Amino acid sequence: MAAPTIDHRGPTFQTLTFDVLRGLASVLRTSHPVVIYPASGTGAWEAALANTLSPGDRVLMYETGHFSTLWKKIADSLGLKPQFLQGDWRHGVNAAQMEAELAADTQHAIKAVCVVHNETSTGVTSNIAAVRLAIDAANHPALLLVDTISSLGSMEYRHDEWGVDVTVGASQKGLMLPPGLSFNAVSDKALAARRSATLPVSYWDWEPILAANEKGFFPYTPATNLMFGLREALVMLEAEGLENVFSRHARHAEATRRAVRAWQFEVLCANPAEYSSALTAVMMPEGHDGSKVLETALRSFDMSLGVGLGRLMGKVFRIGHLGDFNDLTLIGTLGGVEMGLAVAGIPHQGGGVDAAMAYLVECARSDG
Amino acid sequence: MAAPTIDHRGPTFQTLTFDVLRGLASVLRTSHPVVIYPASGTGAWEAALANTLSPGDRVLMYETGHFSTLWKKIADSLGLKPQFLQGDWRHGVNAAQMEAELAADTQHAIKAVCVVHNETSTGVTSNIAAVRLAIDAANHPALLLVDTISSLGSMEYRHDEWGVDVTVGASQKGLMLPPGLSFNAVSDKALAARRSATLPVSYWDWEPILAANEKGFFPYTPATNLMFGLREALVMLEAEGLENVFSRHARHAEATRRAVRAWQFEVLCANPAEYSSALTAVMMPEGHDGSKVLETALRSFDMSLGVGLGRLMGKVFRIGHLGDFNDLTLIGTLGGVEMGLAVAGIPHQGGGVDAAMAYLVECARSDG
Amino acid sequence: MAAPTIDHRGPTFQTLTFDVLRGLASVLRTSHPVVIYPASGTGAWEAALANTLSPGDRVLMYETGHFSTLWKKIADSLGLKPQFLQGDWRHGVNAAQMEAELAADTQHAIKAVCVVHNETSTGVTSNIAAVRLAIDAANHPALLLVDTISSLGSMEYRHDEWGVDVTVGASQKGLMLPPGLSFNAVSDKALAARRSATLPVSYWDWEPILAANEKGFFPYTPATNLMFGLREALVMLEAEGLENVFSRHARHAEATRRAVRAWQFEVLCANPAEYSSALTAVMMPEGHDGSKVLETALRSFDMSLGVGLGRLMGKVFRIGHLGDFNDLTLIGTLGGVEMGLAVAGIPHQGGGVDAAMAYLVECARSDG
Amino acid sequence: MAAPTIDHRGPTFQTLTFDVLRGLASVLRTSHPVVIYPASGTGAWEAALANTLSPGDRVLMYETGHFSTLWKKIADSLGLKPQFLQGDWRHGVNAAQMEAELAADTQHAIKAVCVVHNETSTGVTSNIAAVRLAIDAANHPALLLVDTISSLGSMEYRHDEWGVDVTVGASQKGLMLPPGLSFNAVSDKALAARRSATLPVSYWDWEPILAANEKGFFPYTPATNLMFGLREALVMLEAEGLENVFSRHARHAEATRRAVRAWQFEVLCANPAEYSSALTAVMMPEGHDGSKVLETALRSFDMSLGVGLGRLMGKVFRIGHLGDFNDLTLIGTLGGVEMGLAVAGIPHQGGGVDAAMAYLVECARSDG
């Protein structure tokens, strides 16, 4: 990241572009093009909609939590007509319900289905393959747009195999970079939709970017230093092996849940098949405010936990366990939570760290 | 820049936000709000238009070179109706012509006037104060939008005093950072226009950003590490003193022009009052291609010169002299050009570096 | 540390020298000069002897562990005659025994007393003030030389108040720098001894260094980049406050010992008054080899513990808790040990991390 | 350099040690062992003497300039008897004179011959192969000790082929690192001398270092971060190719001398066969003080030139052109000198930079 800013019109940058595009495609499991934006993930959300849709288009979205709600608001801002299926913030998308909605849309007014793969506000994942099957079962031509911002590089994700049309990703979670880069992986069908879409696009326009990318360049100034960092991050992921990275995250998530249960707290995610490997949201006991845990953890142990977002404000706190994280960082983190609960005077059982350690020991032994 | 990514919802980040907003306002000479985007300058161009205008709005733009042409294309993409006054790429805006156009627009169909302060493709500046006077003289209510991407922090710029409504800036030139941050400074009139504008905006929307900024936060993930770097850069500029920074750039620009004339080449900028302090575009002698100079400089001396952009392709090469640049870096750069001309076999006189040195010696003496 | 190497004969370096010398004196609690060597701590050990002694001089040393034994070997190599009082590696120096030896030396053949303040091999400290009293009680003129390599910046140390003649320090422990710098703080009496000492000295010679330091320079090339890092480290220590730094280390040491006892292991240090705040050596149960714990911790949890050194090989492992360490790093570290014991199949009780957390919670509560 | 400090007893460090030792041997053109000290070059000078000699031993040294004089003082400090052949500081060693001295020493009282390969105070090199021939011609068993501190990695050096017994090197010149590491390359004959030498050695003692190095470790704490940097630097030198590195330095030295002559100044080095590729000392015209040039260059152009050292104080200034230096850095540097002369009012001809550029153009053409 500290490499001097280089000329983004020279051959060194060209090589960087090709390396990064190849690496991203590999992490996204796609043979289709990936577009890189010098922007936060929010920009890539907007890009996915603006490139493929026209004013007034209906989009089917599912309320999995705070971030799906934000994506829905972007659709509103752009003049789309989101149909927002209500959820309880404890489950992923209900694919059967989606299928019913799509089947009912015999006029094919719905132009796109938008799903968040890993809800950062809840620690609940959605089954993307099941959504694909639902669309196909309804024989519906809608595009499938998926947000993988907080799962990319931490959990399995398969753009091509799952039939996703636009995948939205970003740099600052599983790719372990600072924020400032985001991505769209784009299917042939999405590229075709681009050509007929009439929402105004300029910065987010895929076409000039894909054209310039063919020569290793960008139509406007790319975030060069973040691109260097991204190449490093992709090399590190490849060196560890994606499967190993995913199983490391799964191990830490399971250890975290065992700690949560030992504390006699409840994991927000209600369906074990939908547990997130990237973070765990923990429900506060009735009458206790999660923000007190956060304040105590920050003040006493200089540890940042995730606040409850949107309607979960005060009701949960979130433990992140993604990116450059090892067993001992996890134990330190869980220790910080357990001590924070004690200092804050939140009623709980001890033994959470012990439970997590017991699980990690078991894993280490079977590795052995 | 290499500081670990920090939590953008905590108090440390809050302090950073306030520091950076204060410093940017000071460099932009404004007491009005500044909006920071995790995006390239191209994004901030789009933001200036999208926040203030409605589909079909007329905007008056002036063709000062390649970058004003790109901005015009963005206006097209967004569904605006740019009226693009033709220029010769060797002069800044013709304020009198602008005044005439505005005076003729008795219906006030023109909603905004867009000007590039420092044309990076030509090394020609435009007199922003004169444009303001022209608008006022025509008694026209159009907004004044100004691009200062390649002048901010290198040349004098006065958002408030010059009556600019939206200033567009970026991180990667005079602020000496990697690309990835861009800015809009916003007048009261622009904020009012925001409220009636109907172009769809989401990522670029000033309002949620300004609201969150009041508490030191952002509505979506900011480019945290670039923000840290920006704080450093602003502190460095303040330590050197903006006036000193500007006179250093002016000195290097004059030394460069003296070298160009000694080589018996022509500076592209035809009007001395419009010389850029940030870069100098040099016209190639008839029958010789500027790209040959660039290739030779890169191959023989590992030096990147600026290529001729758009209609100047092959006809000029550009020498940058902005950012973290001192007298010796300049001499090395001019030496590279002079040697590159010789190695490439481009007919020219020697003595360019000598002429530049003579001027720098003169300056050093009078400093002394 | 990554600042470009600067000219060590210019004014910028001069300021650096003065800043660093002032900061070191403050950490060492001395108003006397401090000599900085571009060398490991081993060099500063040699310097303390070579500047003050003559071939064949007797020095009284105390075997507190592996590092005091190494210092004794250096004395041998230099042609001194060390009298090495035998210790059990579980206690600090026996000041009474030292006093007896000194009192018996009526001819004052003993020229110096050498003591290690914090034995890195055992986690046992020695009472330097008591040694000073012993020398005074014996009315003996011997110099007092003290090694504070692994305690400086982590535990209280008072060069002037404790009447130390030469203090030996280094960069890589409590000062949180890479290795490569070491120090001698020097009393007036030591400076006087320098003038009559006849061991050959050149690189280690205090006199030309002190002379050059007065002007902010060094007689030979200093390790410039480490000096920059040292200034940063001294500023960080001052910002936290030395007393706070010491109590943080003391808290971590106590939490560690509580974990050790919960595991039903024994802390090597037999005397609570001599516990080290910087590290804790843990005795292995009979029949179990400490190196197995180390190998397991490294292989399964990528954690480096300290090996048993010298006669403690296999009999102990060492847990470091110094430098840039917070409560959660400690919990992660102790978790790694507890899990390492389990994976390695070393018989132990659980609950070590729990015991440490209980103590840290208690501290946080009384802070709050 | 900014890598976190790693455990110097683990396998990662082991690999580093082997890589670095292999790389250094390659740059030194030796198949014999190289000893690395966490110390400045001054320490490696002392080490070369202290490992091989005994108190009162005679050493034959040659006064090539300030640094050979400093080495001689170290020999004095260690209790050796240097025989210091007087030189004029404008020539390298007189091998014939050395041969005569050695031939006259029929008792072989002289135990070592000490020569500086590249005198940093004068920019004069000495012919090491010729010194070897002189020793052989005199049939004398003296060891040959050579200082290559400021030539290693910038100019050709051949430890084995030239029959050197101890080569003294350091990190901060041609290896482009911060200061803090120095080296001894050691012949079999030198190792044998080590066994009979009686000067006290401890820190500098080759034997424990060589023994520990066999396993990839060090007997005392190495300067770990500088070792990482050294590996990088060795990789960079190898990537460019040593022959290319040497010819780059030779090109810059010749360009510098052409500038000096154009200014109508004299190069201090009187014998073209002995020109240094690493730096050029420039003689001031009678009645003008070189320090004025330095002060002006620093004040007006923020450029550090080398001061005249020892008896050359005020009589010369020195231009360094070694390490990470390209053609444009050189032109910037020579421009700074030429402008500094003008600002300081030192009588000189212009055209120095022009002359240097003409030569670099010629080289680039013949490359191209």
Side-chain angles (χ1 to χ4, degrees), chain C residues 11 14 39 57 80 84 92 110 113 126 138 145 148 191 230 252 314:
Chain C
Q14 230 172 349
D57 274 358
L80 301 169
F84 200 41
I110 294 170
V113 172
S126 285
L145 315 186
T148 180
L191 282 175
L230 179 53
H252 292 165

Side-chain angles (χ1 to χ4, degrees), chain B residues 13 15 55 64 78 83 138 141 165 170 215 270 275 277 288 291 329 345 358 361:
Chain B
F13 190 78
T15 306
T64 45
L78 297 181
Q83 177 176 350
D165 292 302
K215 292 174 184 147
Y275 285 147
S277 286
H288 291 276
S291 59
T329 334
V361 163

Side-chain angles (χ1 to χ4, degrees), chain D residues 8-42:
Chain D
H8 65 274
R9 291 194 185 90
T12 305
F13 190 79
Q14 231 173 349
T15 306
L16 177 65
T17 301
F18 292 135
D19 288 350
V20 160
L21 290 176
R22 197 179 312 113
L24 276 177
S26 161
V27 172
L28 285 156
R29 303 292 195 205
T30 186
S31 61
H32 291 101
V34 181
V35 174
I36 302 175
Y37 295 110
S40 299
T42 300

Side-chain angles (χ1 to χ4, degrees), chain D residues 76 84 107 138 194 258 284:
Chain D
D76 285 330
F84 200 42
Q107 303 300 313
R194 165 75 197 89
R258 292 190 181 206
M284 292 298 295

Side-chain angles (χ1 to χ4, degrees), chain D residues 200-221:
Chain D
V201 274
S202 173
Y203 192 77
W204 310 118
D205 194 349
W206 295 335
E207 294 188 334
I209 298 176
L210 293 176
N213 278 184
E214 301 222 334
K215 291 175 185 147
F217 298 119
F218 284 82
Y220 50 80
T221 315

Side-chain angles (χ1 to χ4, degrees), chain A residues 38-40 42 46 179 203 220-221 224, chain B residues 38-40 42 46 203 220-222 224:
Chain A
S40 300
T42 299
E46 180 169 333
Y203 192 78
Y220 50 79
T221 316
T224 45
Chain B
S40 300
T42 298
E46 179 168 335
Y203 193 77
Y220 49 80
T221 315
T224 44

Side-chain angles (χ1 to χ4, degrees), chain B residues 223-301:
Chain B
T224 44
N225 287 39
L226 285 166
M227 294 274 284
F228 275 108
L230 178 54
R231 176 161 60 184
E232 284 306 300
L234 291 166
V235 165
M236 282 170 63
L237 285 179
E238 197 177 345
E240 186 176 350
L242 267 187
E243 293 310 316
N244 297 326
V245 172
F246 296 161
S247 77
R248 172 165 57 80
H249 284 84
R251 181 172 78 244
H252 291 165
E254 175 60 24
T256 300
R257 291 189 297 267
R258 293 192 181 203
V260 171
R261 284 183 209 119
W263 296 326
Q264 311 248 318
F265 284 5
E266 204 175 337
V267 169
L268 180 66
C269 180
N271 175 6
E274 296 176 332
Y275 285 147
S276 167
S277 286
L279 84 149
T280 300
V282 181
M283 295 177 74
M284 291 298 295
E286 201 60 45
H288 291 276
D289 190 329
S291 59
K292 199 171 163 196
V293 182
L294 270 85
E295 286 159 22
T296 307
L298 187 63
R299 193 185 60 241
S300 294
F301 304 110

Side-chain angles (χ1 to χ4, degrees), chain D residues 86 95 98 189 289 300:
Chain D
Q86 204 181 326
M98 286 203 135
K189 191 170 157 189
D289 190 328
S300 295

